[in-house]
């Protein structure tokens, strides 16, 4: 049987043999006592790369965002976020469930930004009727907006507005390295104005588990307490951190290849009659494409999708797996383990999606 080509997400990556060796050889200790040397090394390395004072290993990107927002926002305060942001859409409402934080969702533009005017307008004045606006989050790259990278000038402008209004800026940088590679910019430049950033080791960097939160020493001190309260204080998690160190040392070049593979997909899909794609604006490893209105699906696709009422819905055509994210809109994500030949194979299969 031919190998499954899994383009559902970059979270499906498996550790390489060398990464597994790094895991096996990791020096361990109890991290809740601050004694795991591998975690300490990873956190220091991540902080240095991000240009921040300290880092903190957390089990997931979701926990990284939650911990950061819980540090920035007191109960009953408000946070501004995009209506397509991962934190608003896919983090189980954690900021409101565990933090009592009111979310103010503003429209995400196709380029992943929130309109600057909308941000100004949303910041509350001091009035007994209103919650205080305590923070804003940006997502870079923006998952639901074609994996678009945000420009540093835009981030700077948002940070200035936040800081002028006594608010904090958090960046959900689950894929911040994709943003830095796409713009050939040092990643630290993309987060220089942020009070905190979360990035994931377990996506394009292909580690099995883990994300890192970075910020000032004072911020990380509080973040560590909240991580503990959420049950995220891990003991000999140097096992995980060893993979993270390997990722930061060895996997950044892979991201370039992932972007190249995505570009090849975009160009191919753009040539397929009946499919449409925003081919000029896809710059990283996530892409969405649509079936044009009125075009009939091939039998294999329509059999799988005839009774769908829940999205995203998982599709398998031949040995290619991906998501239908909304009706007639599909997502593909390139990542470590996907070869150029497999991209060609994927395009052949997509070429037969329609009748
Ligand atoms: C933009 C973004 N933020 C945060 C997360 C959450 O990461 P995790 O799945 O590790 O909780 C994801 C996951 O896909 C994501 O795409």
């Amino acid at each position: 049987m031919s190998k499954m080509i899994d383009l559902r997400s970059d979270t499906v990556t498996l550790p390489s043999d060398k990464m597994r060796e790094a895991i096996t050889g990791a020096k361990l200790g109890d991290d809740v006592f601050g004694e795991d040397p591998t975690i300490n090394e990873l956190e220091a390395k991540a902080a240095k790369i991000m240009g921040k004072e300290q880092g903190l290993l957390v089990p997931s990107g979701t926990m990284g965002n939650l911990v950061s927002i819980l540090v920035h926002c007191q109960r009953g305060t408000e946070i501004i976020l995009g209506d397509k942001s991962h934190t608003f859409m896919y983090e189980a409402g954690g900021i409101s469930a565990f933090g009592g934080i009111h979310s103010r969702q503003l429209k995400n533009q196709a380029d992943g930004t929130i309109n600057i005017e909308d941000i100004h307008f949303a910041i509350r004045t001091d009035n007994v009727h209103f919650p205080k606006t305590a923070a804003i989050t940006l997502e870079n790259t923006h998952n639901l907006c074609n994996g678009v990278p945000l420009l540093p000038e835009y981030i700077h402008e948002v940070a200035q507005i936040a800081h002028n209004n006594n608010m904090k800026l958090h960046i959900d940088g689950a894929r911040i390295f994709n943003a830095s590679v796409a713009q050939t910019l040092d990643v630290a430049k993309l987060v220089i104005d942020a009070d905190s950033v979360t990035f994931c080791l377990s996506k394009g960097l292909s580690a099995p588990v883990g994300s890192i939160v970075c910020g000032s020493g004072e911020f990380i001190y509080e973040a560590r307490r909240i991580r503990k309260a959420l049950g995220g204080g891990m003991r000999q998690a140097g096992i995980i951190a060893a993979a993270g160190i390997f990722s930061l040392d060895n996997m950044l070049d892979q991201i370039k290849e992932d972007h190249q593979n995505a570009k090849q997909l975009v160009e191919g899909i753009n040539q397929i009659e009946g499919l449409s794609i925003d081919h000029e604006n896809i710059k990283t490893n996530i892409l969405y494409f649509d079936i044009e209105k009125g075009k009939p699906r091939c039998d294999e696709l329509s059999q799988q999708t005839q009774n769908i009422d829940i999205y995203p819905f998982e599709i398998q055509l031949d040995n290619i797996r991906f998501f239908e994210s909304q009706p007639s809109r599909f997502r593909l994500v390139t990542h470590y383990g996907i070869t150029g030949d497999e991209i060609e194979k994927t395009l052949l299969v997509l070429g037969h999606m329609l009748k």
Side-chain angles (χ1 to χ4, degrees), residues 9-11 58-65 84-87 90-91 139-144 172-175 198 200-203 209-211 286 331:
S9 175
D10 48 10
T11 55
V58 287
S60 66
T62 300
M63 192 186 279
N65 289 333
K84 295 196 179 77
S85 65
H86 195 277
T87 299
Y90 302 124
E91 294 176 12
E139 186 173 312
N140 197 11
T141 63
H142 201 294
N143 183 339
L144 275 181
D172 175 357
R175 297 183 182 80
T198 302
C200 294
L201 298 161
S202 59
K203 299 193 166 73
V209 193
S211 294
I286 299 182
R331 186 182 86 161

Side-chain angles (χ1 to χ4, degrees), residues 166-209:
N166 205 19
M167 293 158 54
K168 304 290 186 194
L169 170 65
H170 172 66
I171 295 184
D172 175 357
R175 297 183 182 80
I176 195 84
F177 288 104
N178 295 81
S180 108
V181 167
Q183 301 179 88
T184 18
L185 263 182
D186 180 356
V187 73
K189 292 216 166 95
L190 292 172
V191 299
I192 190 167
D193 299 305
D195 299 283
S196 55
V197 54
T198 302
F199 73 91
C200 294
L201 298 161
S202 59
K203 299 193 166 73
L205 297 179
S206 88
V209 193

Side-chain angles (χ1 to χ4, degrees), residues 30-101:
D30 187 330
D31 181 56
V32 176
F33 299 157
E35 291 171 5
D36 187 302
T38 311
I39 295 189
N40 293 340
E41 184 185 334
L42 172 64
E43 290 178 344
K45 185 186 269 292
K48 189 157 181 234
I49 292 172
M50 292 291 153
K52 299 291 179 199
E53 283 173 18
Q54 288 183 23
L56 181 72
L57 176 67
V58 287
S60 66
T62 300
M63 192 186 279
N65 289 333
L66 179 59
V67 160
S68 303
I69 293 170
L70 290 182
V71 173
H72 295 320
C73 302
Q74 301 303 303
R75 234 181 153 70
T77 61
E78 187 167 76
I79 185 162
I80 293 174
L81 36 64
D83 64 350
K84 295 196 179 77
S85 65
H86 195 277
T87 299
F88 174 59
M89 295 291 290
Y90 302 124
E91 294 176 12
I95 59 170
S96 100
F98 307 118
I101 298 156

